[in-house]
């Protein structure tokens, strides 16, 4: 079945550091890929998405590129802020009638001033 | 404001006492879904609904029931809760195929 493997956390960075959170996936078809962010005490918010190979999703300075050849969707940001501290989830959906999201386990990011 | 609303946000209860977590969305979405979030496991789908009166099992449906009598509401029912159902629960909805899901703020259940 489908699965998502993302970098184990926690990740601790200083403000303005470069961020990479690795995400690789296994799927039988051609999934859509997502990054969701969960701030403390809140639900999940869609951060960015990509629906086909070589698509780049971007939002709030974060980027991720859908790499079919390496089955990866790594999240990057050039300069993190304290306000980026949250749990980040990589997810995929194969479509079909359910369009279920299959999530990775999440990566806790803490950014220190 | 477009939103998915869950109630209650927090609940502590005892084994065997039936409970219902409500979920309501104001975006006229056809698709709704329930997930549970557990440490080290990420989020896993419990049940989903494609439309009114159409529901189906997700990956971890045991011990749960759902109903979809109206488009906006999708309650999660625990008929006889057990401690292994202690978790953080999220309701989600989406407007159509290939559209991202919108999540509620979560319900933290503790079953003693």
């Amino acid at each position: 079945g489908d699965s998502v493997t993302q970098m184990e956390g926690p990740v601790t960075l200083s403000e303005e550091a470069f961020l990479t959170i690795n995400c690789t996936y296994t799927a039988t078809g051609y999934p859509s890929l997502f990054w969701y962010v969960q701030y403390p005490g809140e639900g999940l918010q869609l951060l960015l998405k990509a629906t086909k190979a070589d698509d780049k999703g971007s939002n709030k300075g974060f980027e991720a590129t859908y790499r079919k050849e390496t089955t990866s969707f790594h999240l990057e940001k050039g300069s993190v802020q304290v306000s980026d501290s949250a749990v980040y989830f990589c997810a995929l959906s194969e479509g079909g009638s359910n369009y279920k999201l299959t999530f990775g386990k999440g990566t806790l990011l803490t950014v220190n001033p | 404001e477009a939103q998915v609303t869950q109630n209650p946000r927090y609940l502590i209860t005892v084994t065997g006492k039936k409970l219902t977590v409500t979920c309501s969305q104001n975006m006229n979405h056809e698709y709704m879904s329930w997930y549970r979030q557990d440490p080290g496991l990420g989020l896993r789908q419990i049940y989903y609904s494609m439309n009114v009166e159409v529901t189906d099992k997700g990956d971890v449906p045991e011990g749960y029931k759902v109903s979809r009598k109206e488009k906006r509401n999708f309650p999660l029912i625990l008929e006889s809760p057990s401690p292994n159902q202690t978790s953080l629960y999220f309701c989600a909805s989406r407007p159509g195929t290939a559209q991202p899901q919108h999540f509620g703020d979560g319900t933290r259940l503790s079953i003693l």
Side-chain angles (χ1 to χ4, degrees):
Chain A
D2 297 345
S3 67
V4 175
T5 302
Q6 66 180 97
M7 181 173 160
E8 295 279 335
V11 174
T12 303
L13 296 173
S14 298
E15 205 164 24
E16 299 184 4
F18 184 85
L19 169 71
T20 300
I21 301 178
N22 291 336
C23 172
T24 58
Y25 67 90
T26 303
T28 52
Y30 300 95
S32 295
L33 301 175
F34 306 87
W35 277 100
Y36 279 84
V37 58
Q38 184 179 30
Y39 298 104
E42 298 184 13
L44 279 76
Q45 301 175 25
L46 178 67
L47 182 59
L48 53 84
K49 67 172 183 174
T51 57
K52 61 183 189 296
D54 299 325
D55 267 3
K56 177 186 280 189
S58 61
N59 186 24
K60 299 181 182 179
F62 291 89
E63 292 183 341
T65 301
Y66 190 143
R67 301 288 188 200
K68 187 167 179 291
E69 64 276 12
T70 54
T71 62
S72 64
F73 193 54
H74 305 321
L75 182 68
E76 297 182 336
K77 186 175 186 183
S79 176
V80 294
Q81 306 300 311
V82 172
S83 57
D84 293 327
S85 298
V87 180
Y88 292 81
F89 291 93
C90 185
L92 69 80
S93 180
E94 288 247 48
S97 61
N98 183 359
Y99 213 73
K100 177 187 73 174
L101 285 167
T102 298
F103 286 90
K105 294 180 180 180
T107 302
L108 173 62
L109 170 67
T110 301
V111 180
N112 295 319
Chain B
E1 180 188 352
Q3 57 186 2
V4 178
T5 303
Q6 298 178 223
N7 280 296
R9 291 291 313 278
Y10 305 91
L11 179 63
I12 301 173
T13 187
V14 296
T15 299
K17 185 176 181 181
K18 181 180 178 180
L19 67 91
T20 299
V21 184
T22 63
C23 174
S24 180
Q25 50 93 4
N26 63 359
M27 297 168 278
N28 202 36
H29 290 171
E30 291 185 348
Y31 176 99
M32 298 185 73
S33 182
W34 277 102
Y35 294 83
R36 60 179 287 173
Q37 181 181 7
D38 300 292
L41 296 176
L43 282 84
R44 295 173 293 167
Q45 189 185 54
I46 304 170
Y47 268 94
Y48 67 98
S49 170
M50 296 298 296
N51 212 326
V52 175
E53 303 291 1
V54 180
T55 63
D56 207 346
K57 297 176 180 178
D59 293 324
V60 288
E62 295 76 21
Y64 304 95
K65 287 175 58 177
V66 292
S67 70
R68 188 90 182 274
K69 293 184 171 57
E70 306 164 281
K71 198 171 189 178
R72 63 182 291 128
N73 295 323
F74 190 45
L76 179 70
I77 303 157
L78 286 70
E79 294 268 3
S80 183
S82 62
N84 65 10
Q85 293 176 298
T86 293
S87 188
L88 180 57
Y89 292 85
F90 288 101
C91 182
S93 71
R94 66 170 169 82
T97 305
Q99 296 299 313
Q101 295 188 30
H102 300 257
F103 284 81
D105 285 339
T107 295
R108 186 167 292 282
L109 289 183
S110 294
I111 316 293
L112 305 178

